[in-house]
Amino acid sequence: MREFDIVIVGGGPAGMAAAVSAREQGMENIVIFERDNELGGILNQCIHNGFGLHTFKEELTGPEYAERYAEKVRDMNIPYETETMVLDISKERVVTILSRNRGVEEIRAKAVILAMGCRERPRGALNIPGFRPQGVYTAGTAQKLVNCEGYVPGKEVVILGSGDIGLIMARRMTLEGAHVAAVAELMPYSSGLKRNIVQCLDDFGIPLLLSHTVVDIKGKEKLEGVVIAEVDSTNTTIAGTEQFYPCDTLLLSCGLIPENELSKNCGVGIDPRTNGPIVDEGLETDIDGVFACGNVLHVHDLVDFVSEEAARAGESAAAFVKRGCAPDSTSAIKIVPKNGVRYTVPAEIHTADLLGDVHIRFRVTGVYKDCSIVIKAGDDELVRRKSRILVPSEMLDIIIKKEKLESVSCDITVEIEEV
Amino acid sequence: MTRNLICINCPMGCELTVEFDGGKVISVSGNTCKRGEIYAESEISNPTRTITTTVISVEGRPVPVKTAQPVPKGMIAECTAAIKAAEVHLPVKVGQVIIDDLLGTGSQVTVTKSVQ
């Protein structure tokens, strides 16, 4: 049985950054398993720019960002096995993999880093009535078809959901000669980044219909059009607002879900708010020696945040292996999201085992203007940061100094205070 | 005159208020960094965009490319058409130049992914 100090599941941005960081911490015997035929993950199909401003201080496209990390992986001689699928991870950290060369193989790992990324919410999860004609795709599937396969799925397009991939695809389909009639968004605000609304919709005169949704899909064999209607504050269709949009393509950009089948089978506890593992400050799950980072942990909007987070997972996994795979020395204190905060990652902190300052990442539940982010331990205020605007689509990152946390023994709260 | 813009330099998406006279910017407010000011200036006088797209290689595989510098916003359609018309043979490497001066904009078009 092959044995590794650290096995990294997934060779996308999270997996690569975790591997690089673990190697920097002196871990020699590590490996990345990637199911695709190359490293890079989803970045390979994200040919647009806007990546790397934090990490590399320059604006790169997805493939270029991936290439920078893949080069690091190769320069550091970190082994990676592509076209290799991880089938199972046991609590004892026996990893079962499947590949063409080796068939089914069991591997022993001292630590495992989960970096499988996420998936798009499919049509089946959206409850849109109507037939199931050809021509309905998730935005990411269309992105892969256009950018990696060189095939444009249609000429007249409607997009449901204003997630970033949907906005990016509105521009992409336009540049490929298609006409994008509208982007419909159920919520009264877009879940995509502002820069994408400006650059992908406004630049091309594509209307963004807020508080609108697709209520019917027409066409039996091939998509013939969709009916879009306005919704009220309870997301109920307003009668009389229905409008028919003829189209041959409907793209769905309605949210991303962390891909945690492997984690769940391993027995890792999942946070229903993030759909990702519950982790501590070292991004360790409730199974000893199993760590998680990137979009499998919680869906990010910036790859730069993924790389930074994954590097911390790599560092923690290395520390776990170096200390002889011993579990945390004390029980954890909880981080409780309160007023205006949907969730936090981590959800708990082992104050006796801190490797350094602690990043608290979270999203807010709505739009907050002129407010403060307040982090408290009981009545003791640890951090207060003023903000002009907070929106649900942008992940926030607050760092608490190690010194401030070492003496904390009660639960920590994170909340938004409005002025 | 004033115009409200959303700064696109980073995901902060600062809401800028620009006061200008003709093509000349008088004041910018709402920005949190210097880049907001530069963006407002350029959006009023000469808005530009980086174009990213693919070129189908002679061998039939798509090659992702970008304009190395931003090009005028009003030229996006014709620039994209000119990029699409370029002849590219595999293999290509990241950074390889496929067009030296895109329609007189002074921008190169470069490959963003090595394709075998």
Side-chain angles (χ1 to χ4, degrees):
Chain A
M1 192 188 267
R2 287 199 285 168
E3 293 189 10
F4 291 95
D5 285 341
I6 304 177
V7 161
I8 296 137
V9 186
M16 291 193 289
V20 166
S21 153
R23 176 56 62 82
E24 281 167 356
Q25 297 295 317
M27 290 288 110
E28 283 302 317
N29 186 22
I30 64 177
V31 67
I32 303 171
F33 294 127
E34 166 57 45
R35 69 179 166 191
D36 206 345
N37 60 7
E38 60 182 343
L39 292 173
I42 204 68
L43 288 173
N44 288 322
Q45 69 183 62
C46 298
I47 65 161
H48 52 281
N49 59 324
F51 302 88
L53 278 168
H54 296 253
T55 311
F56 299 110
K57 310 291 174 219
E58 61 179 304
E59 196 166 11
L60 302 172
T61 64
E64 289 172 314
Y65 189 98
E67 185 72 25
R68 296 273 175 107
Y69 270 92
E71 251 168 43
K72 280 191 198 184
V73 168
R74 286 189 286 263
D75 288 349
M76 295 170 111
N77 291 314
I78 297 171
Y80 59 94
E81 298 176 17
T82 55
E83 294 181 295
T84 300
M85 184 80 185
V86 175
L87 300 176
D88 188 63
I89 303 162
S90 78
K91 273 194 167 62
E92 294 71 36
R93 301 187 296 278
V94 173
V95 180
T96 311
I97 62 171
L98 175 67
S99 64
R100 225 174 255 278
N101 300 339
R102 295 169 171 270
V104 178
E105 184 188 3
E106 285 194 341
I107 280 165
R108 194 175 297 283
K110 287 181 182 165
V112 174
I113 300 177
L114 307 172
M116 294 89 79
C118 61
R119 284 195 175 182
E120 295 174 283
R121 186 167 282 126
R123 179 184 170 184
L126 296 174
N127 298 323
I128 310 169
F131 284 105
R132 310 217 153 242
Q134 181 272 324
V136 182
Y137 305 86
T138 60
T141 300
Q143 188 179 45
K144 173 120 187 165
L145 286 172
V146 175
N147 295 343
C148 302
E149 312 294 336
Y151 170 77
V152 184
K155 288 189 166 68
E156 185 67 26
V157 185
V158 167
I159 299 176
L160 173 62
S162 61
D164 286 309
I165 312 170
L167 300 176
I168 294 287
M169 282 312 292
R171 174 175 64 185
R172 192 71 194 100
M173 294 293 284
T174 307
L175 289 180
E176 288 295 326
H179 174 250
V180 180
V183 176
E185 168 61 56
L186 180 71
M187 304 305 287
Y189 53 84
S190 167
S191 55
L193 302 175
K194 282 174 187 159
R195 62 172 289 162
N196 287 336
I197 294 169
V198 174
Q199 281 197 334
C200 300
L201 301 187
D202 296 353
D203 275 7
F204 299 94
I206 300 167
L208 172 60
L209 310 173
L210 296 174
S211 300
H212 280 72
T213 193
V214 171
V215 294
D216 201 3
I217 292 175
K218 304 279 192 191
K220 201 166 179 186
E221 299 298 325
K222 261 188 83 65
L223 180 65
E224 287 163 14
V226 298
V227 178
I228 294 179
E230 196 176 345
V231 297
D232 64 19
S233 57
T234 62
N235 292 346
T236 312
T237 308
I238 301 171
T241 61
E242 297 89 351
Q243 206 184 334
F244 180 71
Y245 285 77
C247 60
D248 57 19
T249 307
L250 173 66
L251 301 186
L252 306 172
S253 178
C254 302
L256 300 166
I257 306 160
E259 193 176 354
N260 275 295
E261 278 71 20
L262 283 174
S263 328
K264 285 176 192 164
N265 283 342
C266 177
V268 167
I270 302 290
D271 185 332
R273 293 164 301 192
T274 56
N275 289 312
I278 298 165
V279 293
D280 68 9
E281 80 292 344
L283 307 176
E284 188 175 12
T285 67
D286 55 357
I287 305 287
D288 288 331
V290 177
F291 298 79
C293 56
N295 281 351
V296 81
L297 177 56
H298 56 146
V299 177
H300 294 63
D301 24 71
L302 288 182
V303 72
D304 302 80
F305 272 33
V306 168
S307 299
E308 191 278 335
E309 180 178 280
R312 282 187 282 123
E315 193 185 336
S316 304
F320 175 82
V321 172
K322 284 183 201 166
R323 69 170 190 255
C325 303
D328 289 296
S329 57
T330 54
S331 57
I333 58 167
K334 295 243 174 300
I335 302 177
V336 185
K338 284 179 72 178
N339 179 42
V341 177
R342 192 150 64 83
Y343 72 84
T344 66
V345 169
E348 52 187 41
I349 301 179
H350 291 92
T351 49
D353 300 308
L354 299 179
L355 291 174
D357 298 343
V358 172
H359 285 256
I360 309 278
R361 288 188 169 174
F362 62 97
R363 285 183 195 273
V364 290
T365 52
V367 177
Y368 292 89
K369 285 190 174 168
D370 296 318
C371 56
S372 293
I373 301 161
V374 182
I375 303 183
K376 287 194 280 197
D379 292 331
D380 193 12
E381 204 170 284
L382 302 175
V383 176
R384 172 177 288 268
R385 193 212 274 176
K386 278 191 183 164
S387 183
R388 282 181 62 235
I389 185 162
L390 299 175
V391 291
S393 58
E394 284 169 23
M395 184 187 288
L396 295 152
D397 183 25
I398 300 259
I399 298 168
I400 312 180
K401 290 267 173 232
K402 184 182 176 204
E403 306 81 70
K404 285 201 169 181
L405 284 167
E406 279 167 334
S407 58
V408 173
S409 57
C410 62
D411 288 351
I412 288 173
T413 58
V414 183
E415 63 190 300
I416 307 304
E417 212 177 81
E418 289 175 274
V419 183
Chain B
M1 275 173 40
T2 62
R3 205 171 129 195
N4 294 321
L5 295 172
I6 297 173
C7 179
I8 59 166
N9 277 295
C10 81
M12 280 281 290
C14 288
E15 291 170 21
L16 313 177
T17 305
V18 195
E19 201 187 333
F20 63 100
D21 186 11
K24 199 171 151 41
V25 173
I26 299 163
S27 74
V28 181
S29 58
N31 53 315
T32 37
C33 77
K34 182 79 185 159
R35 285 186 300 170
E37 227 173 286
I38 297 167
Y39 174 72
E41 179 82 41
S42 117
E43 277 297 282
I44 298 298
S45 57
N46 176 32
T48 59
R49 297 289 185 265
T50 296
I51 299 175
T52 59
T53 185
T54 52
V55 179
I56 305 296
S57 63
V58 173
E59 292 78 4
R61 289 196 64 190
V63 172
V65 297
K66 70 174 180 184
T67 57
Q69 285 87 41
V71 299
K73 188 177 139 186
M75 288 178 72
I76 290 177
E78 49 187 307
C79 282
T80 305
I83 296 170
K84 285 275 170 202
E87 191 178 309
V88 176
H89 293 269
L90 299 184
V92 289
K93 283 203 79 76
V94 178
Q96 189 177 321
V97 178
I98 63 157
I99 297 176
D100 206 37
D101 179 5
L102 179 62
L103 299 181
T105 57
S107 174
Q108 291 182 328
V109 176
T110 59
V111 171
T112 58
K113 186 180 196 303
S114 301
V115 181
Q116 293 298 310

